[in-house]
Amino acid sequence: MKKFRYIIVLSFALLGAVSVSAQSVAWGGTIRHDLYNRYANPSDDIASRSAGSAVINLGLGPKIWIGGPDFSFSPEVTFQWSPLALSTGDYKGLGAMSFPILAKFEFFGNSNFNKDGKFGFSIGGGVQYSKTELWYLKGSFKEDGVERPYFRTYVIEGDFGYGISGFDVHLFMRYGWSNDTDANTLNIGIGYDFNIPKLKQATDPEF
């Protein structure tokens, strides 16, 4: 079953790489701001397993685009930090972080190769590693056996945004699940993508 899941994720990435019909490769970065996130650890039948935040949820990471004005394939990795995430079920500590590793199909304005402004959308998937209660895990919970290691979920993400000359801003929603445990994740927010070569080209007087 695990091999089957890995094959699906790998096939998804390869399909995007092979099916790209346009001819440009560019690099840059993505900035994320979660308006809301929630991480549910695998259940331990001891304490509330979820933690979330709607305040100070910042993300940053590298990104690559392969494609053209109407379509691109984009691998990206993001570090997401939520210093004030907590569990409202039973407070155990503060903080959460996650590392989504995604491969995305990006269309029209979201492709990040457009000279003229366009609306666009994206869909993609991959894996995410998450951790809650980064600091101050209460001793009483530790004594009862509560642990908060990194846990993995498979994720899908949908975006809707507007892009022009190597920059786009988009709304996103990413949901994660695990077939091995009952862990799940939810991230909803705003993303900003920066295609560095395209941005430089846009500032060239001859562009």
Side-chain angles (χ1 to χ4, degrees), residues 51-52 82 155:
S82 302
V155 292

Side-chain angles (χ1 to χ4, degrees), residues 92-161:
K92 299 177 290 301
L94 277 177
M97 65 173 59
S98 63
F99 298 89
I101 304 169
L102 302 174
K104 298 164 66 175
F105 300 103
E106 314 220 60
F107 300 88
F108 309 113
N110 281 26
S111 76
N112 243 287
F113 283 108
N114 292 286
K115 179 180 179 181
D116 301 317
K118 288 183 179 181
F119 287 99
F121 65 95
S122 310
I123 186 169
V127 296
Q128 178 169 301
Y129 295 88
S130 309
K131 179 178 174 62
T132 65
E133 279 81 37
L134 299 178
W135 309 290
Y136 314 122
L137 181 60
K138 286 187 175 181
S140 58
F141 288 100
K142 284 186 177 180
E143 292 172 3
D144 290 337
V146 173
E147 298 180 348
R148 287 294 182 260
Y150 284 98
F151 65 94
R152 183 184 65 188
T153 52
Y154 294 94
V155 292
I156 56 173
E157 178 175 305
D159 308 342
F160 176 77

Side-chain angles (χ1 to χ4, degrees), residues 21-92:
S21 58
Q23 300 78 25
S24 299
V25 178
W27 59 273
T30 182
I31 295 175
R32 297 295 186 99
H33 172 215
D34 281 6
L35 301 175
Y36 173 76
N37 59 42
R38 181 179 182 273
Y39 304 101
N41 290 267
S43 178
D44 55 15
D45 297 320
I46 302 173
S48 173
R49 62 196 182 97
S50 63
S53 173
V55 181
I56 311 179
N57 306 302
L58 302 177
L60 178 68
K63 184 165 183 172
I64 296 173
W65 292 267
I66 307 168
D70 292 328
F71 173 74
S72 66
F73 173 72
S74 301
E76 65 178 57
V77 180
T78 310
F79 165 68
Q80 185 77 36
W81 185 53
S82 302
L84 300 181
L86 55 82
S87 172
T88 57
D90 45 26
Y91 174 75
K92 299 177 290 301

